[in-house]
mmCIF file of all heavy atoms in Angstrom:
data_model
loop_
_atom_site.group_PDB
_atom_site.id
_atom_site.type_symbol
_atom_site.label_atom_id
_atom_site.label_comp_id
_atom_site.label_asym_id
_atom_site.label_seq_id
_atom_site.Cartn_x
_atom_site.Cartn_y
_atom_site.Cartn_z
ATOM 1 N N VAL A 1018 -8.766 11.116 9.518
ATOM 2 C CA VAL A 1018 -9.939 10.711 8.751
ATOM 3 C C VAL A 1018 -10.841 11.926 8.590
ATOM 4 O O VAL A 1018 -11.244 12.557 9.570
ATOM 5 C CB VAL A 1018 -10.699 9.566 9.456
ATOM 6 C CG1 VAL A 1018 -11.950 9.182 8.654
ATOM 7 C CG2 VAL A 1018 -9.789 8.357 9.653
ATOM 8 N N LEU A 1019 -11.130 12.263 7.336
ATOM 9 C CA LEU A 1019 -12.020 13.382 7.035
ATOM 10 C C LEU A 1019 -13.415 12.834 6.790
ATOM 11 O O LEU A 1019 -13.583 11.861 6.055
ATOM 12 C CB LEU A 1019 -11.531 14.135 5.797
ATOM 13 C CG LEU A 1019 -10.097 14.660 5.858
ATOM 14 C CD1 LEU A 1019 -9.691 15.262 4.532
ATOM 15 C CD2 LEU A 1019 -9.943 15.652 6.984
ATOM 16 N N THR A 1020 -14.401 13.458 7.422
ATOM 17 C CA THR A 1020 -15.773 13.002 7.258
ATOM 18 C C THR A 1020 -16.589 14.034 6.497
ATOM 19 O O THR A 1020 -16.314 15.233 6.528
ATOM 20 C CB THR A 1020 -16.453 12.730 8.617
ATOM 21 O OG1 THR A 1020 -16.518 13.950 9.359
ATOM 22 C CG2 THR A 1020 -15.718 11.671 9.398
ATOM 23 N N GLN A 1021 -17.584 13.537 5.808
ATOM 24 C CA GLN A 1021 -18.530 14.385 5.085
ATOM 25 C C GLN A 1021 -19.908 13.785 5.338
ATOM 26 O O GLN A 1021 -20.118 12.591 5.103
ATOM 27 C CB GLN A 1021 -18.193 14.395 3.601
ATOM 28 C CG GLN A 1021 -18.915 15.433 2.810
ATOM 29 C CD GLN A 1021 -18.326 15.539 1.404
ATOM 30 O OE1 GLN A 1021 -17.860 14.551 0.842
ATOM 31 N NE2 GLN A 1021 -18.348 16.731 0.859
ATOM 32 N N ASN A 1022 -20.790 14.602 5.843
ATOM 33 C CA ASN A 1022 -22.125 14.139 6.220
ATOM 34 C C ASN A 1022 -22.063 12.949 7.178
ATOM 35 O O ASN A 1022 -22.832 12.003 7.083
ATOM 36 C CB ASN A 1022 -22.953 13.769 4.985
ATOM 37 C CG ASN A 1022 -23.135 14.949 4.058
ATOM 38 O OD1 ASN A 1022 -23.335 16.078 4.513
ATOM 39 N ND2 ASN A 1022 -23.049 14.711 2.772
ATOM 40 N N GLY A 1023 -21.087 13.000 8.100
ATOM 41 C CA GLY A 1023 -20.964 11.977 9.128
ATOM 42 C C GLY A 1023 -20.325 10.667 8.694
ATOM 43 O O GLY A 1023 -20.219 9.740 9.485
ATOM 44 N N LYS A 1024 -19.886 10.586 7.456
ATOM 45 C CA LYS A 1024 -19.266 9.355 6.960
ATOM 46 C C LYS A 1024 -17.838 9.638 6.501
ATOM 47 O O LYS A 1024 -17.543 10.725 6.015
ATOM 48 C CB LYS A 1024 -20.063 8.778 5.794
ATOM 49 C CG LYS A 1024 -21.455 8.333 6.181
ATOM 50 C CD LYS A 1024 -22.172 7.740 5.008
ATOM 51 C CE LYS A 1024 -23.575 7.314 5.431
ATOM 52 N NZ LYS A 1024 -24.318 6.774 4.318
ATOM 53 N N ALA A 1025 -16.985 8.642 6.634
ATOM 54 C CA ALA A 1025 -15.600 8.807 6.187
ATOM 55 C C ALA A 1025 -15.581 9.142 4.703
ATOM 56 O O ALA A 1025 -16.229 8.486 3.895
ATOM 57 C CB ALA A 1025 -14.809 7.536 6.453
ATOM 58 N N ALA A 1026 -14.841 10.206 4.345
ATOM 59 C CA ALA A 1026 -14.766 10.645 2.954
ATOM 60 C C ALA A 1026 -13.336 10.620 2.426
ATOM 61 O O ALA A 1026 -13.118 10.628 1.218
ATOM 62 C CB ALA A 1026 -15.333 12.047 2.818
ATOM 63 N N GLY A 1027 -12.357 10.574 3.322
ATOM 64 C CA GLY A 1027 -10.969 10.560 2.889
ATOM 65 C C GLY A 1027 -10.053 10.423 4.083
ATOM 66 O O GLY A 1027 -10.488 10.540 5.231
ATOM 67 N N VAL A 1028 -8.787 10.171 3.790
ATOM 68 C CA VAL A 1028 -7.781 10.035 4.833
ATOM 69 C C VAL A 1028 -6.584 10.882 4.450
ATOM 70 O O VAL A 1028 -6.092 10.793 3.322
ATOM 71 C CB VAL A 1028 -7.353 8.558 5.023
ATOM 72 C CG1 VAL A 1028 -6.250 8.442 6.067
ATOM 73 C CG2 VAL A 1028 -8.547 7.706 5.393
ATOM 74 N N LEU A 1029 -6.126 11.687 5.373
ATOM 75 C CA LEU A 1029 -4.960 12.530 5.175
ATOM 76 C C LEU A 1029 -3.761 11.859 5.825
ATOM 77 O O LEU A 1029 -3.813 11.486 6.996
ATOM 78 C CB LEU A 1029 -5.199 13.901 5.814
ATOM 79 C CG LEU A 1029 -4.038 14.887 5.783
ATOM 80 C CD1 LEU A 1029 -3.764 15.328 4.350
ATOM 81 C CD2 LEU A 1029 -4.341 16.075 6.669
ATOM 82 N N LEU A 1030 -2.699 11.672 5.044
ATOM 83 C CA LEU A 1030 -1.461 11.075 5.544
ATOM 84 C C LEU A 1030 -0.321 12.061 5.377
ATOM 85 O O LEU A 1030 -0.299 12.841 4.419
ATOM 86 C CB LEU A 1030 -1.104 9.812 4.759
ATOM 87 C CG LEU A 1030 -2.065 8.652 4.800
ATOM 88 C CD1 LEU A 1030 -1.619 7.571 3.822
ATOM 89 C CD2 LEU A 1030 -2.157 8.088 6.200
ATOM 90 N N SER A 1031 0.662 11.979 6.263
ATOM 91 C CA SER A 1031 1.872 12.774 6.075
ATOM 92 C C SER A 1031 2.626 12.210 4.876
ATOM 93 O O SER A 1031 2.474 11.029 4.536
ATOM 94 C CB SER A 1031 2.749 12.708 7.319
ATOM 95 O OG SER A 1031 3.307 11.412 7.456
ATOM 96 N N PRO A 1032 3.465 13.022 4.232
ATOM 97 C CA PRO A 1032 4.263 12.500 3.116
ATOM 98 C C PRO A 1032 5.130 11.312 3.532
ATOM 99 O O PRO A 1032 5.250 10.339 2.786
ATOM 100 C CB PRO A 1032 5.123 13.692 2.697
ATOM 101 C CG PRO A 1032 4.312 14.885 3.099
ATOM 102 C CD PRO A 1032 3.631 14.476 4.383
ATOM 103 N N ALA A 1033 5.701 11.360 4.730
ATOM 104 C CA ALA A 1033 6.549 10.251 5.184
ATOM 105 C C ALA A 1033 5.740 8.967 5.342
ATOM 106 O O ALA A 1033 6.196 7.882 4.966
ATOM 107 C CB ALA A 1033 7.227 10.618 6.502
ATOM 108 N N GLU A 1034 4.549 9.079 5.888
ATOM 109 C CA GLU A 1034 3.710 7.891 6.070
ATOM 110 C C GLU A 1034 3.241 7.358 4.717
ATOM 111 O O GLU A 1034 3.198 6.153 4.498
ATOM 112 C CB GLU A 1034 2.511 8.214 6.969
ATOM 113 C CG GLU A 1034 1.677 7.022 7.340
ATOM 114 C CD GLU A 1034 2.400 5.961 8.177
ATOM 115 O OE1 GLU A 1034 3.533 6.173 8.620
ATOM 116 O OE2 GLU A 1034 1.805 4.880 8.368
ATOM 117 N N PHE A 1035 2.894 8.263 3.803
ATOM 118 C CA PHE A 1035 2.503 7.838 2.456
ATOM 119 C C PHE A 1035 3.655 7.077 1.795
ATOM 120 O O PHE A 1035 3.454 6.006 1.218
ATOM 121 C CB PHE A 1035 2.099 9.047 1.609
ATOM 122 C CG PHE A 1035 1.748 8.684 0.202
ATOM 123 C CD1 PHE A 1035 0.485 8.193 -0.109
ATOM 124 C CD2 PHE A 1035 2.672 8.819 -0.821
ATOM 125 C CE1 PHE A 1035 0.158 7.840 -1.409
ATOM 126 C CE2 PHE A 1035 2.355 8.470 -2.120
ATOM 127 C CZ PHE A 1035 1.095 7.979 -2.419
ATOM 128 N N ASP A 1036 4.880 7.625 1.886
ATOM 129 C CA ASP A 1036 6.052 6.958 1.312
ATOM 130 C C ASP A 1036 6.255 5.588 1.939
ATOM 131 O O ASP A 1036 6.543 4.605 1.237
ATOM 132 C CB ASP A 1036 7.314 7.796 1.514
ATOM 133 C CG ASP A 1036 7.361 9.021 0.627
ATOM 134 O OD1 ASP A 1036 6.568 9.098 -0.347
ATOM 135 O OD2 ASP A 1036 8.192 9.912 0.910
ATOM 136 N N ARG A 1037 6.122 5.484 3.266
ATOM 137 C CA ARG A 1037 6.298 4.203 3.949
ATOM 138 C C ARG A 1037 5.296 3.177 3.439
ATOM 139 O O ARG A 1037 5.649 2.043 3.134
ATOM 140 C CB ARG A 1037 6.143 4.387 5.461
ATOM 141 C CG ARG A 1037 6.472 3.138 6.261
ATOM 142 C CD ARG A 1037 6.123 3.302 7.734
ATOM 143 N NE ARG A 1037 4.694 3.239 7.956
ATOM 144 C CZ ARG A 1037 3.973 2.126 7.985
ATOM 145 N NH1 ARG A 1037 4.551 0.956 7.791
ATOM 146 N NH2 ARG A 1037 2.686 2.147 8.201
ATOM 147 N N LEU A 1038 4.053 3.595 3.307
ATOM 148 C CA LEU A 1038 3.009 2.673 2.846
ATOM 149 C C LEU A 1038 3.219 2.251 1.395
ATOM 150 O O LEU A 1038 3.052 1.079 1.051
ATOM 151 C CB LEU A 1038 1.628 3.308 3.019
ATOM 152 C CG LEU A 1038 1.148 3.450 4.457
ATOM 153 C CD1 LEU A 1038 -0.148 4.259 4.500
ATOM 154 C CD2 LEU A 1038 0.961 2.103 5.117
ATOM 155 N N THR A 1039 3.589 3.201 0.527
ATOM 156 C CA THR A 1039 3.782 2.836 -0.880
ATOM 157 C C THR A 1039 5.034 1.977 -1.067
ATOM 158 O O THR A 1039 5.036 1.061 -1.896
ATOM 159 C CB THR A 1039 3.831 4.070 -1.796
ATOM 160 O OG1 THR A 1039 4.853 4.965 -1.351
ATOM 161 C CG2 THR A 1039 2.490 4.791 -1.819
ATOM 162 N N GLU A 1040 6.092 2.252 -0.302
ATOM 163 C CA GLU A 1040 7.286 1.407 -0.379
ATOM 164 C C GLU A 1040 6.965 -0.013 0.082
ATOM 165 O O GLU A 1040 7.420 -0.984 -0.521
ATOM 166 C CB GLU A 1040 8.419 1.996 0.456
ATOM 167 C CG GLU A 1040 9.033 3.225 -0.181
ATOM 168 C CD GLU A 1040 9.941 4.000 0.752
ATOM 169 O OE1 GLU A 1040 10.285 3.488 1.849
ATOM 170 O OE2 GLU A 1040 10.315 5.131 0.392
ATOM 171 N N ARG A 1041 6.191 -0.121 1.129
ATOM 172 C CA ARG A 1041 5.789 -1.449 1.626
ATOM 173 C C ARG A 1041 4.951 -2.173 0.578
ATOM 174 O O ARG A 1041 5.152 -3.368 0.326
ATOM 175 C CB ARG A 1041 5.017 -1.303 2.927
ATOM 176 C CG ARG A 1041 4.572 -2.615 3.507
ATOM 177 C CD ARG A 1041 3.822 -2.389 4.821
ATOM 178 N NE ARG A 1041 3.199 -3.596 5.282
ATOM 179 C CZ ARG A 1041 3.727 -4.446 6.139
ATOM 180 N NH1 ARG A 1041 4.919 -4.216 6.640
ATOM 181 N NH2 ARG A 1041 3.075 -5.528 6.501
ATOM 182 N N ALA A 1042 4.034 -1.450 -0.064
ATOM 183 C CA ALA A 1042 3.190 -2.069 -1.093
ATOM 184 C C ALA A 1042 4.038 -2.551 -2.270
ATOM 185 O O ALA A 1042 3.818 -3.650 -2.793
ATOM 186 C CB ALA A 1042 2.123 -1.086 -1.568
ATOM 187 N N ARG A 1043 5.028 -1.739 -2.691
ATOM 188 C CA ARG A 1043 5.911 -2.160 -3.790
ATOM 189 C C ARG A 1043 6.729 -3.390 -3.393
ATOM 190 O O ARG A 1043 6.911 -4.305 -4.186
ATOM 191 C CB ARG A 1043 6.838 -1.016 -4.206
ATOM 192 C CG ARG A 1043 6.150 0.044 -5.039
ATOM 193 C CD ARG A 1043 7.145 1.010 -5.686
ATOM 194 N NE ARG A 1043 7.999 1.674 -4.732
ATOM 195 C CZ ARG A 1043 7.723 2.826 -4.126
ATOM 196 N NH1 ARG A 1043 6.590 3.436 -4.372
ATOM 197 N NH2 ARG A 1043 8.575 3.365 -3.276
ATOM 198 N N PHE A 1044 7.214 -3.425 -2.155
ATOM 199 C CA PHE A 1044 7.993 -4.560 -1.675
ATOM 200 C C PHE A 1044 7.139 -5.826 -1.681
ATOM 201 O O PHE A 1044 7.565 -6.874 -2.182
ATOM 202 C CB PHE A 1044 8.512 -4.262 -0.266
ATOM 203 C CG PHE A 1044 9.264 -5.397 0.353
ATOM 204 C CD1 PHE A 1044 10.554 -5.698 -0.071
ATOM 205 C CD2 PHE A 1044 8.703 -6.158 1.361
ATOM 206 C CE1 PHE A 1044 11.260 -6.756 0.496
ATOM 207 C CE2 PHE A 1044 9.404 -7.212 1.936
ATOM 208 C CZ PHE A 1044 10.680 -7.503 1.505
ATOM 209 N N LEU A 1045 5.926 -5.734 -1.151
ATOM 210 C CA LEU A 1045 5.043 -6.899 -1.122
ATOM 211 C C LEU A 1045 4.669 -7.353 -2.525
ATOM 212 O O LEU A 1045 4.577 -8.550 -2.801
ATOM 213 C CB LEU A 1045 3.795 -6.600 -0.293
ATOM 214 C CG LEU A 1045 4.052 -6.412 1.205
ATOM 215 C CD1 LEU A 1045 2.779 -5.951 1.911
ATOM 216 C CD2 LEU A 1045 4.603 -7.667 1.836
ATOM 217 N N SER A 1046 4.485 -6.405 -3.438
ATOM 218 C CA SER A 1046 4.183 -6.744 -4.826
ATOM 219 C C SER A 1046 5.365 -7.485 -5.468
ATOM 220 O O SER A 1046 5.169 -8.459 -6.203
ATOM 221 C CB SER A 1046 3.861 -5.479 -5.619
ATOM 222 O OG SER A 1046 3.611 -5.786 -6.958
ATOM 223 N N ALA A 1047 6.578 -7.034 -5.183
ATOM 224 C CA ALA A 1047 7.762 -7.699 -5.728
ATOM 225 C C ALA A 1047 7.870 -9.127 -5.194
ATOM 226 O O ALA A 1047 8.239 -10.055 -5.931
ATOM 227 C CB ALA A 1047 9.027 -6.908 -5.387
ATOM 228 N N ILE A 1048 7.545 -9.327 -3.938
ATOM 229 C CA ILE A 1048 7.543 -10.681 -3.368
ATOM 230 C C ILE A 1048 6.515 -11.546 -4.096
ATOM 231 O O ILE A 1048 6.809 -12.682 -4.483
ATOM 232 C CB ILE A 1048 7.264 -10.639 -1.856
ATOM 233 C CG1 ILE A 1048 8.462 -10.049 -1.122
ATOM 234 C CG2 ILE A 1048 6.940 -12.041 -1.324
ATOM 235 C CD1 ILE A 1048 8.220 -9.797 0.350
ATOM 236 N N ASP A 1049 5.306 -11.000 -4.282
ATOM 237 C CA ASP A 1049 4.267 -11.758 -4.992
ATOM 238 C C ASP A 1049 4.722 -12.129 -6.405
ATOM 239 O O ASP A 1049 4.501 -13.251 -6.859
ATOM 240 C CB ASP A 1049 2.968 -10.950 -5.067
ATOM 241 C CG ASP A 1049 2.249 -10.884 -3.735
ATOM 242 O OD1 ASP A 1049 2.531 -11.709 -2.847
ATOM 243 O OD2 ASP A 1049 1.393 -9.979 -3.589
ATOM 244 N N GLU A 1050 5.363 -11.194 -7.104
ATOM 245 C CA GLU A 1050 5.859 -11.472 -8.457
ATOM 246 C C GLU A 1050 6.910 -12.577 -8.435
ATOM 247 O O GLU A 1050 6.905 -13.469 -9.290
ATOM 248 C CB GLU A 1050 6.443 -10.204 -9.082
ATOM 249 C CG GLU A 1050 5.409 -9.181 -9.479
ATOM 250 C CD GLU A 1050 6.042 -7.910 -10.017
ATOM 251 O OE1 GLU A 1050 7.168 -7.977 -10.574
ATOM 252 O OE2 GLU A 1050 5.419 -6.846 -9.883
ATOM 253 N N GLY A 1051 7.812 -12.512 -7.454
ATOM 254 C CA GLY A 1051 8.843 -13.543 -7.342
ATOM 255 C C GLY A 1051 8.254 -14.920 -7.060
ATOM 256 O O GLY A 1051 8.677 -15.918 -7.641
ATOM 257 N N LEU A 1052 7.263 -14.959 -6.177
ATOM 258 C CA LEU A 1052 6.611 -16.233 -5.880
ATOM 259 C C LEU A 1052 5.873 -16.771 -7.100
ATOM 260 O O LEU A 1052 5.895 -17.987 -7.365
ATOM 261 C CB LEU A 1052 5.654 -16.073 -4.693
ATOM 262 C CG LEU A 1052 6.328 -15.820 -3.343
ATOM 263 C CD1 LEU A 1052 5.286 -15.462 -2.292
ATOM 264 C CD2 LEU A 1052 7.160 -17.012 -2.912
ATOM 265 N N GLU A 1053 5.257 -15.889 -7.868
ATOM 266 C CA GLU A 1053 4.571 -16.304 -9.092
ATOM 267 C C GLU A 1053 5.587 -16.824 -10.108
ATOM 268 O O GLU A 1053 5.345 -17.845 -10.768
ATOM 269 C CB GLU A 1053 3.771 -15.140 -9.686
ATOM 270 C CG GLU A 1053 3.041 -15.475 -10.970
ATOM 271 C CD GLU A 1053 1.926 -16.505 -10.807
ATOM 272 O OE1 GLU A 1053 1.442 -16.711 -9.677
ATOM 273 O OE2 GLU A 1053 1.554 -17.120 -11.820
ATOM 274 N N ASP A 1054 6.720 -16.142 -10.245
ATOM 275 C CA ASP A 1054 7.777 -16.623 -11.142
ATOM 276 C C ASP A 1054 8.227 -18.023 -10.738
ATOM 277 O O ASP A 1054 8.401 -18.905 -11.590
ATOM 278 C CB ASP A 1054 8.981 -15.676 -11.120
ATOM 279 C CG ASP A 1054 8.741 -14.403 -11.904
ATOM 280 O OD1 ASP A 1054 7.770 -14.350 -12.693
ATOM 281 O OD2 ASP A 1054 9.525 -13.447 -11.706
ATOM 282 N N GLU A 1055 8.390 -18.240 -9.446
ATOM 283 C CA GLU A 1055 8.824 -19.560 -8.966
ATOM 284 C C GLU A 1055 7.757 -20.611 -9.276
ATOM 285 O O GLU A 1055 8.073 -21.693 -9.764
ATOM 286 C CB GLU A 1055 9.109 -19.495 -7.458
ATOM 287 C CG GLU A 1055 9.864 -20.689 -6.925
ATOM 288 C CD GLU A 1055 8.983 -21.880 -6.614
ATOM 289 O OE1 GLU A 1055 7.809 -21.696 -6.238
ATOM 290 O OE2 GLU A 1055 9.471 -23.005 -6.758
ATOM 291 N N ARG A 1056 6.493 -20.294 -9.046
ATOM 292 C CA ARG A 1056 5.405 -21.244 -9.336
ATOM 293 C C ARG A 1056 5.339 -21.585 -10.817
ATOM 294 O O ARG A 1056 5.047 -22.712 -11.193
ATOM 295 C CB ARG A 1056 4.059 -20.669 -8.893
ATOM 296 C CG ARG A 1056 3.721 -20.886 -7.442
ATOM 297 C CD ARG A 1056 2.278 -20.540 -7.131
ATOM 298 N NE ARG A 1056 1.963 -19.135 -7.332
ATOM 299 C CZ ARG A 1056 2.162 -18.168 -6.443
ATOM 300 N NH1 ARG A 1056 2.683 -18.439 -5.275
ATOM 301 N NH2 ARG A 1056 1.838 -16.923 -6.733
ATOM 302 N N GLU A 1057 5.614 -20.603 -11.670
ATOM 303 C CA GLU A 1057 5.532 -20.794 -13.120
ATOM 304 C C GLU A 1057 6.835 -21.316 -13.725
ATOM 305 O O GLU A 1057 6.936 -21.472 -14.934
ATOM 306 C CB GLU A 1057 5.135 -19.485 -13.798
ATOM 307 C CG GLU A 1057 3.760 -18.968 -13.411
ATOM 308 C CD GLU A 1057 2.647 -19.872 -13.889
ATOM 309 O OE1 GLU A 1057 2.764 -20.446 -14.996
ATOM 310 O OE2 GLU A 1057 1.652 -20.027 -13.151
#
């Protein structure tokens, strides 16, 4: 966590952690889309 004037200003992630988080977000989004398709 990078701070500026004592407040959080940004977060630095490793490339591997960034990839893990974005892959997880895409997976969860695909689940949401599938559930919406089923509801509709």
Side-chain angles (χ1 to χ4, degrees):
V1018 178
L1019 304 174
T1020 63
Q1021 192 169 32
N1022 300 321
K1024 295 182 181 178
V1028 177
L1029 176 68
L1030 298 173
S1031 70
E1034 187 63 8
F1035 177 82
D1036 287 345
R1037 187 188 74 78
L1038 289 173
T1039 56
E1040 287 167 11
R1041 180 179 171 94
R1043 284 192 303 271
F1044 177 74
L1045 292 173
S1046 178
I1048 290 172
D1049 287 342
E1050 288 177 28
L1052 291 171
E1053 179 66 20
D1054 284 345
E1055 194 277 329
R1056 275 191 296 275
E1057 297 294 324

